[in-house]
Amino acid sequence: MAAPSEMPMELQVNVNGRVRTVRIEPRDGLFRVTVDGETRLIDAAAIDDTTFSLVGIDHGHRSEEVGLGEIGQSGELAVHLSGGVVVARVSSGPGRFGRGAGGTPQTAGRQQVVAPMPGKVVKVLVKEGDSVRVRQGLVVVEAMKMENELRSPKDGRVARVLVDEGTLVESGRPLVEVE
Amino acid sequence: MHAPLTKVLIANRGEIAVRIIRACREMGVKTVAVYSECDRTALHVRYADEAYAIGPNPPRDSYLRIDKLVDVARQSGADAVHPGYGFLAENADFARACRDAHVTFIGPSPEAIDLMGSKTAARAVAVAAGVPVVPGMREPIATEVADSDVAAMAAEVGFPILIKAVSGGGGKGMRTVTDPADLPGALRAARSEASSSFGDGSVYIERRIQKPRHIEIQLLGDHDGTVLPFVERECSIQRRHQKVVEESPSMVVTPAIRRQLASAAAAVAKRVGYTNAGTIEFLCDDTGAFFFLEMNTRLQVEHPITELVTLTDLVHWQIRIARGERLDLDPEALLTPQGHAIECRIYAEDPDRDFMPSPGRVSALRAPAGPGIRRDDGGAAAGVEVPIYYDPLIAKLAAWGADRPMSLARMTRALHEYDVRGISTTIPFFLWLLADADFQAGRFDTTFIDTALALRNGRPFLEVPEASEFSAAAAVALQVYTRTQTPASSVPAAPASLWQQRARVDGLR
């Protein structure tokens, strides 16, 4: 019988908006990793706490380096692969990260437009009750010497304007609600 | 009459401050850094011989304070000032304040900065030198001129037009107007950006050349009247009038056109008795005709690619000229490119969110190296915060190859090696661009990026193949596993890899 510390572990990981079931089983210094029923034998080495070198022993000995970067306090991880970056989060299981499904943006219902970076609101282009089209400019935020126009995520109506011209905003601060 | 020049105050920050300090060290010249509050731990401060705090983070309270900079020059005994690019680099008052304080300004005279800094006056100089200019207005439009009067002027120039800040640069205060109905909004935006970026809201109007390519000539002028032009740089890859990729030489410039551009550039510079480093920008249309656009009276961001293909060090020459040395470079060699070089400006911006700035803490960073790669950065490393107050330039990455396909291949390889986490960068955008068939074939003009971006309609720059999602899911799970298991069965830690050691060395440079 395996020692408790060698017990397999199973958890749900949301990758690019799709929930995947991942099972990790240590085996003779390697790992049997199963993702949604597909199993591979992987030689995994931690380069540091957030960087892993994976060699697919039964997968053509494919060598891949994967880097994990936390995205703010959101619980989401930017997973850096050789082909690019995907967004992931642990959605259930023994993880230390936030729970709940991440996912693709939705366009139904009321949508908040938030400040994507810290800066200063230099122009509010709409008022409550205005009809707006998708990608129509709502607010202009100045950061790093450039003016950035934030646009409507959908066709709809401006439900609320939450900032004034001149307001200093932090990243993530809601600016306008469109319904 | 020239001072020996033994100690240089660098009135700048970031990668350009580091680049200037490096040149000074190579020449045995002492260096003085200045810093705002958030830059206390920046590389340029740690790397300089002396460092002085000059105030709060907003540039107007620190890096733009002429009085404080002159005080630091006095206090430190610096006998010269290098302004870098941006900030006060093209500010004639600063050059004049240095002269009044008997400190050598490493750049042109205040008179040349004044003259060439006004885009309308610079156009008049070009005309007088017999160099063709883009059709447009001869006089600036003051801020109080009414929209209707501006509309009449625009109609006379002929749509499509470009509204440009008279004191502008870097794409700020610039708007294209194709439909006369869009003029009032574009005018308001251009004036407001011009006034907040340059303290001067006046603008002027130029005709928009169709399918233009941006070609520029670097030059150096000494105090004996010698002006030497260099091989052209092509900077047509621009996003909203901001250069993002530059290369040298250009694919469309023949040796004959190169000579014409070089002699036109030298004629403009000689006309104003230009000294030190400067760049003349031209627009070229698809017939090979070229038009003077403007002069930048400073070192350019993209100067490294010229250094790579002409085997020169422009900052060394800026210092040598400032201390009175004569240019003794071979003019023929400067017009004969050795291979090909390309530069990508790596910004802290998210290309998948309309290039929104992405300031914040870098959580991990591995920089590329290897054959043909030159990287200029201001010390971006794991744990370093990218401040919101300044240009979000993380690094300039340049690649050199024996020919264009080779330098592009090296750039692509280096971008794949570049691992920056914690913030978004423009690296995925560059990987997409370098793989684009039209870019590879040289089929582009200054509208290429804005058009391509509109056509992509928000599609992500790098689509990760579904096969890679296995590795992503596995790595996330392995990290959780490692953090929850006892050491005996956790993922074995690799001995510190060479790349990691290299990154540490880079971080401590």
Side-chain angles (χ1 to χ4, degrees):
Chain A
M1 199 181 105
S5 65
E6 304 235 325
M7 292 291 281
M9 180 191 80
E10 190 169 296
L11 73 169
Q12 258 81 45
V13 180
N14 184 315
V15 181
N16 258 359
R18 270 170 64 192
V19 176
R20 310 273 205 154
T21 300
V22 187
R23 188 179 163 82
I24 304 276
E25 299 165 76
R27 174 155 305 187
D28 305 330
L30 304 177
F31 294 88
R32 267 171 62 89
V33 178
T34 307
V35 178
D36 286 349
E38 182 191 348
T39 300
R40 291 184 198 166
L41 189 61
I42 291 180
D43 179 354
I47 307 301
D48 57 46
D49 189 40
T50 59
T51 310
F52 295 86
S53 166
L54 309 180
V55 175
I57 298 301
D58 57 357
H59 200 68
H61 281 257
R62 202 186 122 103
S63 167
E64 184 155 36
E65 192 167 297
V66 187
L68 305 173
E70 293 183 30
I71 303 175
Q73 304 297 310
S74 64
E76 287 189 326
L77 293 166
V79 184
H80 296 248
L81 301 142
S82 56
V85 180
V86 298
V87 175
R89 70 153 64 220
V90 176
S91 48
S92 74
R96 47 174 275 186
F97 301 108
R99 284 155 191 273
T104 49
Q106 295 170 358
T107 53
R110 186 175 281 207
Q111 292 267 304
Q112 270 188 347
V113 175
V114 301
M117 67 281 175
K120 182 175 146 189
V121 175
V122 292
K123 193 92 193 153
V124 177
L125 302 165
V126 292
K127 54 186 191 306
E128 286 175 12
D130 283 358
S131 296
V132 289
R133 306 298 309 264
V134 65
R135 293 182 67 75
Q136 179 179 334
L138 302 174
V139 175
V140 180
V141 176
E142 187 189 76
M144 292 173 158
K145 302 199 294 178
M146 292 295 279
E147 294 191 359
N148 302 283
E149 193 173 73
L150 304 181
R151 300 171 179 182
S152 177
K154 56 183 281 190
D155 291 339
R157 249 168 39 85
V158 176
R160 287 207 294 164
V161 175
L162 302 158
V163 287
D164 298 314
E165 285 174 17
T167 308
L168 290 171
V169 293
E170 284 301 305
S171 184
R173 163 95 173 256
L175 306 173
V176 175
E177 285 179 8
V178 180
E179 61 183 8
Chain B
M1 69 169 268
H2 287 281
L5 212 156
T6 56
K7 193 191 257 191
V8 174
L9 164 67
I10 294 102
N12 216 302
R13 64 177 301 281
E15 69 86 15
I16 192 59
V18 174
R19 195 260 171 273
I20 294 162
I21 293 171
R22 284 178 169 150
C24 291
R25 292 203 148 187
E26 288 158 9
M27 299 175 76
V29 173
K30 294 281 182 213
T31 52
V32 179
V34 291
Y35 58 94
S36 67
E37 284 163 5
C38 68
D39 275 342
R40 168 61 190 87
T41 56
L43 186 60
H44 75 279
V45 176
R46 285 140 53 198
Y47 204 24
D49 293 310
E50 296 171 32
Y52 295 80
I54 50 164
N57 298 328
R60 66 174 176 279
D61 299 326
S62 47
Y63 295 106
L64 293 175
R65 284 286 298 269
I66 294 175
D67 55 339
K68 288 187 182 174
L69 291 164
V70 171
D71 276 352
V72 171
R74 278 212 191 87
Q75 197 185 335
S76 64
D79 48 23
V81 167
H82 196 306
Y85 57 72
F87 294 131
L88 295 169
E90 292 179 279
N91 185 309
D93 291 338
F94 183 48
R96 216 168 271 124
C98 290
R99 185 159 69 189
D100 293 347
H102 305 289
V103 173
T104 304
F105 180 80
I106 303 176
S109 67
E111 293 73 26
I113 297 175
D114 255 340
L115 190 57
M116 301 314 277
S118 158
K119 295 199 175 176
T120 43
R123 282 162 61 87
V125 170
V127 170
V131 174
V133 299
V134 178
M137 298 182 53
R138 290 186 185 276
E139 299 298 324
I141 307 169
T143 43
E144 49 294 341
V145 176
D147 286 5
S148 55
D149 293 335
V150 178
M153 297 170 193
E156 199 171 308
V157 170
F159 286 93
I161 58 158
L162 264 182
I163 306 174
K164 297 171 112 178
V166 169
S167 312
K172 281 154 199 146
M174 192 189 292
R175 290 291 185 282
T176 302
V177 184
T178 308
D179 181 347
D182 297 335
L183 185 65
L187 187 63
R188 183 203 64 79
R191 279 172 166 167
S192 125
E193 249 178 57
S195 145
S196 68
S197 299
F198 314 112
D200 172 9
S202 59
V203 297
Y204 77 109
I205 292 173
E206 226 174 59
R207 171 126 21 104
R208 184 103 170 83
I209 302 279
Q210 296 301 298
K211 296 197 175 296
R213 295 179 77 122
H214 176 118
I215 308 281
E216 62 185 31
I217 297 285
Q218 170 74 53
L219 50 82
L220 289 174
D222 68 17
H223 292 277
D224 292 301
T226 301
V227 171
L228 294 180
F230 286 66
V231 176
E232 78 284 349
R233 294 185 289 251
E234 169 149 21
C235 317
S236 298
I237 301 300
Q238 305 183 357
R239 201 182 69 78
R240 296 185 187 164
H241 308 293
Q242 281 262 37
K243 298 166 187 170
V244 291
V245 175
E246 307 91 2
E247 56 180 299
S248 179
S250 162
M251 283 182 89
V252 295
V253 173
T254 62
I257 296 177
R258 177 171 303 134
R259 282 184 192 278
Q260 290 174 31
L261 286 165
S263 57
V268 172
K270 280 185 175 161
R271 182 104 202 153
V272 293
Y274 195 83
T275 54
N276 219 284
T279 293
I280 310 262
E281 300 186 335
F282 297 95
L283 284 183
C284 293
D285 69 15
D286 46 11
T287 68
F290 60 83
F291 307 92
F292 170 86
L293 193 61
E294 62 184 58
M295 179 169 198
N296 292 311
T297 56
R298 54 169 160 83
L299 188 67
Q300 301 270 96
V301 176
E302 59 272 25
H303 75 274
I305 56 172
T306 299
E307 299 184 325
L308 289 170
V309 297
T310 59
L311 315 178
T312 50
D313 189 304
L314 291 166
V315 179
H316 276 233
W317 272 109
Q318 285 194 287
I319 292 168
R320 293 176 65 174
I321 290 167
R323 67 186 182 200
E325 290 184 40
R326 298 177 73 139
L327 278 165
D328 63 356
L329 292 161
D330 172 11
E332 281 304 309
L334 300 185
L335 292 174
T336 312
Q338 305 295 311
H340 181 272
I342 180 170
E343 177 183 273
C344 292
R345 298 188 186 185
I346 313 293
Y347 281 103
E349 291 175 346
D350 187 348
D352 287 328
R353 281 159 79 194
D354 207 18
F355 292 85
M356 284 292 173
S358 174
R361 184 177 290 273
V362 176
S363 64
L365 187 140
R366 181 178 67 207
I373 296 302
R374 168 174 171 177
R375 192 183 76 252
D376 288 79
D377 70 42
V384 167
E385 195 88 28
V386 179
I388 65 165
Y389 302 97
Y390 315 112
D391 262 354
L393 184 71
I394 300 290
K396 305 188 309 201
L397 187 63
W400 179 90
D403 54 21
R404 189 171 186 265
M406 187 174 173
S407 68
L408 264 51
R410 281 180 164 163
M411 178 59 81
T412 303
R413 183 268 296 166
L415 288 166
H416 275 295
E417 275 181 27
Y418 222 143
D419 181 7
V420 185
R421 294 182 232 159
I423 56 169
S424 297
T425 72
T426 46
I427 291 170
F429 162 77
F430 291 123
L431 284 168
W432 162 79
L433 176 73
L434 284 155
D436 183 86
D438 286 330
F439 177 74
Q440 289 179 356
R443 287 187 299 264
F444 52 77
D445 59 55
T446 57
T447 64
F448 177 80
I449 293 299
D450 291 329
T451 308
L453 289 179
L455 288 173
R456 291 180 62 79
N457 206 11
R459 190 153 52 91
F461 279 97
L462 277 183
E463 290 171 53
V464 177
E466 214 174 295
S468 289
E469 291 185 7
F470 187 104
S471 302
V476 171
L478 284 165
Q479 187 187 48
V480 173
Y481 186 85
T482 301
R483 288 174 173 179
T484 52
Q485 301 296 306
T486 59
S489 66
S490 63
V491 177
S497 74
L498 290 176
W499 282 28
Q500 195 186 357
Q501 289 170 8
R502 176 75 219 163
R504 287 202 192 107
V505 169
D506 277 357
L508 293 173
R509 258 171 324 161

